[in-house]
């Protein structure tokens, strides 16, 4: 039985890695094939997530150090806010790519393989619908606030571009879910 | 016109159906939440709510705490912290009757402080401790029962992932929740230790004594955990006394873990990359769940179902304790087929307002909820910890492990009853720190 949940913070599947430590999707980079673009997107997502994680770590650690040594880092909270947007967007896309979203398997594990595959497609379709709705909602908000030049207080980080980034990622995540819902059966899934 | 409470009930039923069909928890929560808002307010309101809430979540400074604590945990794993806590405890306690089982509880408490996860704790410590205990002639049911129960310590021991998620969705101070978890967590560990001692006193064959480790080996072994212990104490202590905010504490923890990794000779681009990758996998899943939980909470709030339920409880003029006991029964029942975080996210928007109206502190409720959720990790039929152990020791039947966990389950129920009867167990330390 395989379960995944938010409580299993450290026990999540890593998505099944190759012996060389690379994620399987990283290996599928045939020149000129759609998988190459997929591989590049995966790399970009990991890169962006790493920048977000390390950026948030650096900004907050320097803020603490500065506060205790009298050298204040102005706007550290805003820097962390920017960094967590990057890591949040990237992390959700990665979790979708590796099919790493938490779900309850107690019922589906008792079904036939065919029924399990159909339900997995249905679940992916539900994910696509959700992220399409979030994309429309985000686009609506971006449109409403665009002329307002929304920005942070101290460092004047333009929030509208962060909203645009989130909109782009909701579209990518919806597309990925849709691909998982409609993609033809792979050899791994069985005939 | 359908009454809002009925729409709320229909939404909850639909959500349970979607979860049973394998729809991701976050996706199910968000779809039902948005659908409910669309029906009760308007489709436009649901679209805007989705756009606003999702960006609020991913740009929330306070939410940075979760991926950063995860990164700290993964860096500590890369530094080889996994088996050290059990190894050290085994050297100190192994020569006593049931000593390796006692050591496994110590190992779970130590590792749980790093991982913040019940399943990660039980998987890691069992992989080390179970073969040792079986080699020493321990009864398999007793050994696996102690490990399954000990693993649950990972959910409550700060910095706990479950408490962070609760703090975010219930808008409660994560520092106070961590402080509130310390006394109940310590008492929980002690209740397991006492259970082991009592079981071995009644039936010494359960946990035979092993060879005594000389002191000249014990002290060097202690050095293997001192650095990690100091890091955790610094991060949690600094957070509790106000040196850092939770997000800053997590950042300091990450820097400390990087230093620890370097000092232990494990620092490499590959090791750090793997830790970042594992962090992103888990963080992405949790972000979707939190967005879904907040949208679902909005819908539940609109449906006024919680007001109707708390009104019904008040009208009964029964003691608030009765209402909490009833909630416990519902949580344990739901915990039979829903796993931990799904249970927490589904029930927090419904039960927390009721508990608050009955005069309970939301901080206490967070500890109560996580504690009840932990019991779900070991009670049949779901009992995820049991399946993890069975996955590691395939020759052990599920029945053997479930039978082995029964005495620990009794200790769990006693501990939960004490937590309900004496909320001060959870509220004393946060009050002290705040004062």
């Amino acid at each position: 039985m395989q379960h995944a949940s938010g409580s299993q913070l450290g026990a999540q599947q890593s998505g099944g890695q190759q012996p060389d430590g690379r994620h399987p999707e990283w290996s599928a980079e045939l020149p000129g094939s759609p998988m190459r673009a997929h591989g590049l997107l995966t790399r970009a997502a990991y890169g962006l997530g790493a920048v977000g994680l390390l950026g948030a770590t650096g900004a907050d650690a320097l803020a603490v150090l500065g506060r205790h040594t009298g050298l204040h880092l102005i706007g550290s909270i805003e820097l962390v806010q920017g960094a967590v947007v990057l890591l949040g967007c990237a992390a959700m896309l990665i979790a979708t790519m590796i099919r790493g979203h938490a779900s309850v398997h107690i019922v589906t594990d008792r079904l036939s393989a065919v029924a399990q595959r159909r339900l997995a497609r249905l679940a992916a379709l539900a994910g696509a619908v959700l992220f399409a709705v979030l994309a429309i909602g985000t686009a609506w908000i971006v449109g409403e606030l665009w002329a307002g030049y929304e920005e942070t207080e101290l460092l004047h980080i333009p929030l509208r571009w962060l909203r645009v980034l989130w909109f782009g990622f909701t579209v990518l995540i919806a597309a990925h879910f849709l691909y998982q819902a409609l993609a033809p059966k792979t050899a791994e899934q069985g005939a | 016109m359908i009454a809002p409470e009925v729409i709320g009930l229909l939404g909850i039923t639909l959500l349970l159906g979607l979860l049973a069909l394998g729809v991701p928890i976050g996706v199910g929560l968000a779809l039902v939440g948005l659908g409910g808002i669309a029906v009760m307010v308007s489709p436009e309101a649901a679209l805007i709510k989705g756009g606003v809430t999702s960006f609020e979540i991913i740009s929330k400074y306070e939410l940075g705490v979760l991926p950063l604590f995860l990164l700290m945990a993964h860096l500590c794993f890369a530094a080889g912290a996994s088996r050290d806590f059990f190894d050290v405890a085994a050297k100190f306690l192994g020569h006593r009757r049931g000593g390796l089982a006692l050591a496994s509880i110590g190992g779970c408490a130590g590792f749980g402080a790093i991982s913040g996860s019940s399943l990660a704790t039980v998987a890691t410590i069992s992989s080390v401790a179970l073969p040792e205990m079986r080699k020493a002639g321990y009864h398999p049911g007793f050994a696996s029962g102690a490990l399954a129960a000990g693993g649950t310590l990972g959910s409550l021991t700060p910095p706990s992932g479950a408490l962070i998620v609760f703090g975010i969705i219930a808008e409660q101070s994560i520092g106070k929740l961590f402080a509130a978890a310390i006394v109940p967590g310590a008492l929980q560990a002690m209740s397991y230790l006492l259970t082991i001692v009592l079981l071995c006193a009644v039936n010494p064959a359960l946990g035979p004594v092993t060879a005594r480790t000389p002191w000249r080996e014990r002290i060097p072994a202690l050095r293997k955990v001192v650095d990690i212990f100091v890091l955790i104490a610094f991060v949690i202590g600094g957070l509790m006394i106000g040196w850092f905010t939770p997000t800053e504490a997590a950042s300091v923890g990450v820097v400390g873990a990087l230093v620890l990794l370097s000092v232990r000779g494990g620092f490499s681009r590959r090791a750090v990359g793997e830790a970042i990758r594992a962090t992103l996998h888990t963080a992405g899943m949790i972000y979707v769940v939190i967005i879904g939980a907040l949208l679902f909470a909005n819908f539940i709030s609109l449906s006024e179902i919680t007001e109707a339920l708390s009104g019904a409880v008040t009208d009964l003029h029964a003691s608030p304790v009765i209402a909490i006991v009833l909630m416990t029964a519902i949580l344990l029942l739901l915990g039979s087929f829903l796993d931990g975080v799904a249970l927490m996210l589904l029930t927090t928007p419904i039960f927390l307002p009721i508990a608050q109206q009955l005069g309970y502190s939301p901080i206490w409720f967070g500890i109560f909820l996580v504690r009840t959720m932990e019991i779900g990790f070991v009670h049949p039929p779901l009992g995820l910890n049991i399946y993890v152990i069975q996955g590691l020791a395939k020759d052990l039947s599920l029945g053997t492990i479930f039978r082995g966990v029964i005495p620990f389950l009794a200790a769990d129920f006693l501990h939960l009853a004490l937590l309900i009867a004496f909320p001060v167990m959870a509220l004393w330390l946060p009050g002290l720190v705040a004062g």
Side-chain angles (χ1 to χ4, degrees):
Chain A
M1 219 159 80
Q2 177 197 322
H3 295 261
S5 90
S7 59
Q8 303 166 21
L9 301 185
Q12 284 298 303
Q13 284 192 310
S14 61
Q17 288 171 355
Q18 306 287 26
D20 65 355
R22 301 198 313 162
H23 193 274
E25 281 155 292
W26 289 29
S27 309
E29 291 173 27
L30 303 173
S33 78
M35 292 311 286
R36 183 174 169 76
H38 187 261
L40 286 173
L41 184 64
T42 311
R43 279 171 190 267
Y46 278 107
L48 194 69
V51 168
L53 263 177
L54 297 177
T57 302
D60 252 352
L62 285 175
V64 172
L65 190 69
R67 196 163 62 238
H68 292 281
T69 56
L71 298 164
H72 292 279
L73 178 65
I74 306 291
S76 64
I77 290 179
E78 293 175 6
L79 286 174
V80 174
Q81 263 184 303
V84 296
V85 172
L86 302 186
L87 92 85
C89 289
M92 277 187 267
L93 178 61
I94 291 166
T96 307
M97 285 173 157
I98 63 165
R99 297 172 192 263
H101 289 294
S103 54
V104 177
H105 292 245
I106 194 163
V107 177
T108 54
D109 278 354
R110 284 160 176 75
L111 301 175
S112 68
V114 175
Q116 281 188 26
R117 269 203 304 274
R118 284 182 183 155
L119 285 177
R121 284 180 189 276
L122 185 73
L125 195 61
V129 170
L130 170 68
F131 277 90
V133 168
L134 293 184
I136 296 167
T138 305
W140 191 326
I141 302 292
V142 170
E144 292 281 318
L145 298 177
W146 190 258
Y149 295 98
E150 200 188 4
E151 55 186 25
T152 61
E153 216 170 294
L154 295 172
L155 301 178
H156 306 290
I157 297 170
L159 290 181
R160 60 182 186 168
W161 289 111
L162 293 179
R163 286 188 192 276
V164 169
L165 181 77
W166 171 230
F167 166 73
F169 271 84
T170 52
V171 172
L172 279 174
I173 296 168
H176 239 285
F177 268 126
L178 195 63
Y179 173 75
Q180 287 168 7
L182 303 177
K185 273 186 292 190
T186 62
E188 196 185 323
Q189 285 174 314
Chain B
M1 183 74 185
I2 308 172
E5 294 89 344
V6 176
I7 298 176
L9 274 177
L10 287 174
I12 293 169
T13 313
L14 177 64
L15 176 63
L16 290 174
L18 287 174
L19 296 186
L21 292 175
V23 171
I25 296 166
V27 171
L29 284 163
L31 280 178
V32 170
L34 289 173
I37 295 169
V39 169
M40 297 178 73
V41 186
S42 70
E44 291 85 354
L47 281 175
I48 291 172
K49 192 74 196 168
V52 170
T53 304
S54 60
F55 187 75
E56 262 179 18
I57 292 297
I58 64 156
S59 60
K60 202 176 175 76
Y61 169 77
E62 290 81 4
L63 195 50
V65 69
L66 192 63
L68 293 176
F69 268 129
L70 283 170
L71 182 59
M72 173 186 149
H74 285 294
L75 289 170
C76 285
F77 301 155
S82 323
R83 55 177 300 155
D84 293 348
F85 284 100
F86 172 75
D87 284 347
V88 172
K91 283 193 165 58
F92 277 81
L93 298 166
H95 62 284
R96 297 182 186 280
R97 199 172 285 153
L100 292 178
L102 296 172
S104 71
I105 301 295
C108 286
F111 185 83
I114 305 171
S115 77
S117 153
S118 184
L119 290 175
T121 304
V122 76
T124 307
I125 300 300
S126 296
S127 66
V128 184
L130 194 56
E132 291 285 327
M133 284 197 266
R134 297 187 75 181
K135 202 165 67 184
Y138 276 53
H139 184 277
F142 168 69
S144 52
L147 283 164
T152 63
L153 287 166
S155 292
L156 201 59
T157 313
S160 147
L163 285 177
I164 294 173
V165 173
F166 175 81
I168 290 162
I169 58 172
E171 296 181 331
Q172 295 301 314
S173 155
I174 290 166
K176 279 187 182 173
L177 283 165
F178 284 174
I182 290 175
V183 173
L187 289 175
Q188 184 189 349
M190 281 162 65
S191 74
Y192 294 152
L193 296 177
L194 194 63
T195 306
I196 292 168
V197 170
L198 288 174
L199 286 172
C200 288
V202 173
N203 182 2
L206 289 176
V209 294
T210 55
R212 177 189 285 269
T213 306
W215 278 98
R216 64 173 183 280
E217 287 179 30
R218 291 187 196 182
I219 300 299
L222 207 53
R223 286 194 204 116
K224 290 204 299 192
V225 293
V226 163
D227 49 1
I228 292 178
F229 182 78
V230 167
L231 175 65
I232 294 166
F234 180 64
V235 168
I236 301 299
L239 171 61
M240 282 170 56
I241 60 175
W243 280 356
F244 345 105
T245 65
T247 315
E248 287 173 350
S251 297
V252 169
V254 171
V255 173
L258 282 168
V259 171
L260 201 132
L261 189 61
S262 310
V263 170
R264 289 184 167 210
F267 189 91
S268 68
R269 199 176 151 187
R270 186 189 174 93
V272 175
E274 283 300 321
I276 287 175
R277 190 178 307 177
T279 301
L280 290 172
H281 292 175
T282 312
M285 178 268 292
I286 296 172
Y287 269 98
V288 175
V289 167
I290 292 174
I291 290 173
L294 286 178
L295 290 170
F296 180 72
N298 268 299
F299 160 57
I300 289 295
S301 165
L302 275 174
S303 76
E304 295 172 5
I305 198 168
T306 56
E307 284 83 351
L309 287 172
S310 59
V313 172
T314 314
D315 290 348
L316 287 174
H317 300 293
S319 155
V321 176
I322 304 281
I324 294 294
V325 171
L326 196 64
M327 274 186 209
T328 310
I330 295 171
L331 287 167
L332 290 174
L333 188 70
L334 286 174
S336 300
F337 54 90
L338 277 179
D339 65 357
V341 162
L343 178 68
M344 188 164 90
L345 297 175
L346 176 65
T347 54
T348 298
I350 302 165
F351 285 166
L352 178 61
I354 298 175
Q356 282 182 290
Q357 283 172 36
L358 293 171
Y360 283 92
S361 147
I363 296 289
W364 173 85
F365 184 80
I367 304 300
F368 159 77
L369 191 59
V370 172
R371 189 67 192 89
T372 314
M373 188 183 100
E374 281 180 336
I375 295 177
F377 279 112
V378 286
H379 85 70
L382 197 55
L384 292 178
N385 283 8
I386 309 288
Y387 290 97
V388 170
I389 292 178
Q390 212 256 336
L392 291 169
K394 296 200 190 306
D395 60 315
L396 289 183
S397 71
L398 285 173
T400 304
I401 308 174
F402 272 123
R403 274 193 296 280
V405 92
I406 287 172
F408 298 95
L409 209 45
D412 275 337
F413 283 121
L414 183 63
H415 181 257
L416 185 62
L418 286 174
L419 186 63
I420 294 170
F422 305 105
V424 70
M425 265 168 67
L427 297 177
W428 171 71
L429 199 52
L432 201 69
V433 174

